[in-house]
Amino acid sequence: MNIENSAVPAPQEDDPLLSAGLKIAMQWGQALDADKLKVALEALEPQLKREHQLRVKQLELQKQRHQAEERKEKRRHVLHMAGLVVGMVIAIAMLGAGVYTVKDAWWLGVLLCGPVLLGALKIFVLRRSDKADMDAALGAAKLGINEAGQSQQQPPPPPPPAV
């Protein structure tokens, strides 16, 4: 049995793996007669089926892992966007409250629009908090409490004289 009179197509040069496989098959065909080759191929078939089933299972597992990673990334994105929305709502509420209260208690307006606002935004939007942020918010809160205490101790200024 040789290449010219066999039913097997000639190896193609563009696919080296197929070409090498066909060459090996032809060499086996030349070394063995047709009956022995048939028996050898039948003995090899269960192993090839097992390898194919293993490869199919590996591909299914790889697909499941990829889908799980996509779901995880989607949940991470939803969580990040929710943090952005909540952070912006809190920021707008704190700014509005700060502007509203500044006419009655300026220290509360400064407290709501200052480092406390920045600390809250950093927690919700960036999902992290540093010691320096908390120290700045604590310092602003202490200053506001001190100013509130001093403004309550001082009597209100007298009204201007009537003309």
Side-chain angles (χ1 to χ4, degrees):
M1 177 186 258
N2 56 22
I3 295 178
E4 291 82 24
N5 63 4
S6 68
V8 177
Q12 298 175 351
E13 298 300 326
D14 59 341
D15 188 3
L17 185 63
L18 181 63
S19 175
L22 285 176
K23 284 181 184 177
I24 292 172
M26 282 188 248
Q27 289 173 356
W28 275 99
Q30 290 172 355
L32 302 174
D33 62 357
D35 294 332
K36 291 180 182 177
L37 183 60
K38 183 178 179 183
V39 170
L41 289 176
E42 287 175 357
L44 186 61
E45 188 175 355
Q47 175 65 28
L48 293 175
K49 284 183 180 179
R50 285 191 298 270
E51 288 176 1
H52 174 70
Q53 289 173 349
L54 176 66
R55 182 65 181 148
V56 168
K57 293 290 183 185
Q58 288 174 342
L59 289 174
E60 288 174 1
L61 182 61
Q62 184 179 7
K63 181 180 175 183
Q64 289 173 355
R65 286 180 183 163
H66 182 68
Q67 289 173 345
E69 187 66 31
E70 284 180 353
R71 287 191 305 268
K72 184 178 179 181
E73 188 63 34
K74 185 176 179 180
R75 284 192 307 264
R76 186 179 302 133
H77 176 71
V78 168
L79 179 66
H80 182 69
M81 294 309 288
L84 285 174
V85 169
V86 169
M88 289 302 117
V89 168
I90 287 175
I92 291 170
M94 287 179 73
L95 284 172
V99 169
Y100 180 75
T101 60
V102 79
K103 63 183 171 210
D104 296 327
W106 65 269
W107 55 272
L108 184 57
V110 170
L111 184 67
L112 288 172
C113 295
V116 175
L117 172 68
L118 296 176
L121 281 177
K122 192 169 184 180
I123 289 171
F124 283 103
V125 175
L126 300 180
R127 300 225 176 265
R128 56 179 264 227
S129 176
D130 297 333
K131 184 172 175 9
D133 297 334
M134 294 301 112
D135 290 342
L138 182 62
K142 285 180 182 178
L143 179 65
I145 290 171
N146 290 340
E147 291 295 327
Q150 289 176 1
S151 65
Q152 288 179 355
Q153 292 172 358
Q154 297 175 355
V163 186

